[in-house]
Amino acid sequence: MCSSDLGRDEPLWTRNVHQVQFDCASIRSEQVPDLIMSYLLQFDPEDVAKGKRFFESLNWHRNTLAIQGPADVWVDTRPDWNKLCGMRGHGMALVEVSSKEVDEAFPDAERRGHRRMIANFTDLGVVFKSGTGPGLVWVVGLQGGQPVADAGVRVFTLDGKQVFRGKTDAQGLVQLPPLAK
């Protein structure tokens, strides 16, 4: 996980939808391993129950966005994601977007008009390389592609244990020690 600031300008594309509901929860860095485990790995009932408890423990912000546009035309809306998700410029959020209009139009579809995503609000690009030997992290700014010096880098195991913490050098690089399997 790396940190920096973010501008906003990510689109929300809709068609024949006039109102969208957002449920957003800001994710603290120490919650990221739990988020990923809860979001991605639900193989047995215990995992599903643990994920449900994690989602219920989050501080959710609910907002509704009115969308204006002609019928049968895709509309590109640029919402203020930071405001919708209670963010302050950068960070990570779990976002669920839903629409009653889509639910009503497709009553038998799985999860109907609900879409859940992990949103990473950052202006950093991160390349992570690991293997049986030492690893490497390279951090660049997305605006200009230049290396980012002094970016904080932390590496966690799947069970949430932090196994590395460091900062990038002037070339945006930090070398990782060999990580245990």
Side-chain angles (χ1 to χ4, degrees), residues 45-60:
E46 184 178 327
D47 291 336
V48 172
K50 185 177 179 182
K52 185 176 180 181
R53 286 191 302 275
F54 175 74
F55 293 137
E56 290 171 351
S57 74
L58 297 174
N59 182 22
W60 291 93

Side-chain angles (χ1 to χ4, degrees), residues 69-106:
D72 298 323
V73 173
W74 285 100
V75 176
D76 175 2
T77 304
R78 304 287 169 137
D80 184 340
W81 292 100
N82 287 316
K83 183 177 177 183
L84 287 171
C85 293
M87 306 288 287
R88 292 191 179 142
H90 69 276
M92 189 172 283
L94 182 62
V95 181
E96 184 165 293
V97 181
S98 61
S99 168
K100 290 182 182 178
E101 293 166 290
V102 175
D103 287 350
E104 291 168 2
F106 302 98

Side-chain angles (χ1 to χ4, degrees), residues 31-38 40-41 43 50 155-163 180-181:
Q31 292 176 302
V32 171
D34 286 336
L35 170 66
I36 296 202
M37 294 300 292
S38 299
L40 299 176
L41 303 176
F43 299 117
K50 185 177 179 182
V155 178
F156 295 87
T157 63
L158 286 176
D159 61 0
K161 179 182 174 194
Q162 183 175 301
V163 293
K181 292 182 181 182

